[in-house]
Amino acid sequence: MPWFLWLLAAAALGAAEFFTLTLVFGLLAGAALVAAVVAGVGIGLLGQLLALGAAAAAGLVLVRPVALRHMQQQPLIRDGSDGLIGKRAEVMQEVTATRGLIKLSGEEWSARAFDESHVIPVGALVDVMEIEGATAIVYPRELLP
């Protein structure tokens, strides 16, 4: 089979991948490119089909599971108020279960204690556990007296 027919098959499979996003057609398009190279070198149809089969099998068995695993992972970068979770802050006004003020990333934020029984004094360092609207829910970094 001429090499340019393998290139046409690869283009068609690539277009199918574009519309389905399953990774299957894309890997098969790569296998068709391998078969095109084999055909371009001058190896016969049986060699081309063996190269196509080996490349397709390797892609589907080795590459696809890894790619799917990476696609399912949550992004590591958090932005907006989610990016503040886990940050350290300093208490500017005493923090209780209902009110308080902290300095977080250079800004003043209203705050509440994560544990409703805690009263966190001015100057204490806290960790931001979550953000609810414009209020940071905080927990002291050190044991309270």
Side-chain angles (χ1 to χ4, degrees), residues 81 109-110 130-137:
S81 61
W109 279 72
S110 59
E130 53 187 278
I131 302 286
E132 287 182 2
T135 302
I137 312 302

Side-chain angles (χ1 to χ4, degrees), residues 45-115:
L45 182 62
L46 181 60
Q48 295 170 26
L49 293 175
L50 287 174
L52 176 75
L60 293 175
V61 171
L62 301 175
V63 176
R64 189 169 188 264
V66 173
L68 288 176
R69 221 174 307 127
H70 282 283
M71 288 173 53
Q72 292 173 351
Q73 290 179 351
Q74 294 292 328
L76 298 176
I77 299 173
R78 293 186 283 180
D79 57 352
S81 61
D82 285 341
L84 299 173
I85 296 172
K87 296 272 186 176
R88 182 177 14 186
E90 183 181 352
V91 175
M92 305 300 287
Q93 288 180 2
E94 184 177 74
V95 176
T96 65
T98 58
R99 64 178 183 81
L101 190 68
I102 62 170
K103 186 158 197 122
L104 174 61
S105 294
E107 299 177 339
E108 290 185 356
W109 279 72
S110 59
R112 285 190 294 122
F114 183 73
D115 185 342

Side-chain angles (χ1 to χ4, degrees), residues 91 94-97 113-127 138-145:
V91 175
E94 184 177 74
V95 176
T96 65
F114 183 73
D115 185 342
E116 294 179 4
S117 66
H118 284 156
V119 175
I120 307 170
V122 173
L125 295 178
V126 293
D127 288 324
V138 299
Y139 193 81
R141 290 185 69 87
E142 298 177 7
L143 293 175
L144 296 174

